[in-house]
C-alpha cells in the first residue's frame, strides 16, 4: 500500500493531511472472517447451501429408513452391499457440512463441504445402479413366481 504524507506546511488547524492510495484488487475480503470471498466460496454461497444441506439430510434419513425396511422384508443386492446405510451416512454428513458452510464461511468448511458433495453424488450414482438391479431382479422373480403359480393352477384344474 502506497502512502504519501503532505508536507507540514500544508496543515489545517494543527492536523497533518495524509493521503493513501489503495490499489484495485480483483478479490474482495469478508471483514468478519478474513476469508477471501472469491472463487469457490461465492459460488457455494450463490447456490444456497443451507437448502441443499437440509434436503441432503432429509434424503439421508429417508434412505436409512427405507434401508431398514428393505433389510427386514427383502434382503437383496442393495442390502447386502450396505449402500442404504453407508450411503445415508454420507448424505447426512454432506448435508451437515453444507449447512455449516452456510453459517460459517471458513475455507476449510467450504472445501470439505464441496468434497463431501462430490463424494455423495458419486455414492448416489452407485446407489441408483445397485437399487435398479434390485428392482430388475424383483420384477423378474415376481413374474417367474406368478407364471409358475398360474401354471400350477392350470395343472390342478386339468386333473
Amino acid at each position: 500500500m502506497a502512502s504519501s504524507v503532505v508536507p507540514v506546511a500544508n496543515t489545517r488547524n494543527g492536523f497533518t493531511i495524509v493521503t493513501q492510495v489503495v490499489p484495485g484488487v480483483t478479490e474482495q475480503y469478508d471483514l468478519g472472517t478474513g476469508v477471501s470471498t472469491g472463487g469457490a466460496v461465492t459460488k457455494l454461497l450463490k447456490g444456497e447451501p443451507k437448502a441443499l444441506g437440509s434436503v441432503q439430510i432429509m434424503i439421508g434419513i429417508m434412505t436409512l429408513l427405507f434401508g431398514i425396511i428393505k433389510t427386514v422384508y427383502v434382503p437383496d443386492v442393495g442390502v447386502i452391499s450396505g449402500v442404504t446405510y453407508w450411503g445415508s451416512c454420507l448424505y447426512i454428513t454432506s448435508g451437515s457440512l453444507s449447512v455449516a458452510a452456510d453459517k460459517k464461511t471458513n475455507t476449510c468448511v467450504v472445501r470439505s463441504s464441496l468434497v463431501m458433495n462430490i463424494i455423495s453424488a458419486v455414492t448416489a450414482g452407485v446407489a441408483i445402479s445397485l437399487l435398479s438391479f434390485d428392482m430388475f431382479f424383483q420384477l423378474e422373480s415376481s413374474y417367474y413366481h406368478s407364471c409358475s403359480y398360474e401354471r400350477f393352477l392350470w395343472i390342478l384344474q386339468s386333473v
Side-chain angles (χ1 to χ4, degrees):
M1 185 180 327
S3 65
S4 63
V5 178
V6 178
V8 180
N10 192 8
T11 60
R12 185 176 241 177
N13 296 332
F15 295 104
T16 305
I17 301 171
V18 178
T19 60
Q20 293 181 344
V21 177
V22 179
V25 291
T26 57
E27 292 185 358
Q28 297 176 353
Y29 290 91
D30 187 8
L31 296 176
T33 60
V35 175
S36 167
T37 57
V41 177
T42 54
K43 287 181 183 178
L44 180 76
L45 293 177
K46 285 181 183 177
E48 303 208 13
K50 188 180 252 183
L52 173 68
S54 60
V55 168
Q56 284 177 331
I57 291 170
M58 290 189 317
I59 288 173
I61 291 171
M62 285 178 42
T63 304
L64 180 68
L65 294 177
F66 285 137
I68 291 170
I69 293 170
K70 192 171 173 98
T71 302
V72 172
Y73 291 110
V74 188
D76 273 336
V77 176
V79 173
I80 293 169
S81 68
V83 73
T84 56
Y85 299 114
W86 55 266
S88 63
C89 289
L90 286 175
Y91 301 147
I92 292 170
T93 304
S94 178
S96 300
L97 282 173
S98 293
V99 171
D102 184 47
K103 289 185 179 179
K104 186 176 182 181
T105 55
N106 188 358
T107 54
C108 181
V109 176
V110 170
R111 286 182 182 163
S112 60
S113 172
L114 292 174
V115 168
M116 281 304 295
N117 282 329
I118 291 170
I119 291 172
S120 68
V122 170
T123 303
V126 170
I128 287 171
S129 64
L130 286 175
L131 295 176
S132 63
F133 282 131
D134 282 352
M135 194 168 63
F136 174 73
F137 290 132
Q138 280 181 345
L139 288 174
E140 186 178 298
S141 67
S142 66
Y143 177 74
Y144 175 74
H145 290 303
S146 66
C147 289
S148 63
Y149 179 72
E150 290 172 1
R151 185 176 175 160
F152 178 71
L153 287 178
W154 180 74
I155 292 172
L156 284 179
Q157 290 175 354
S158 65
V159 174

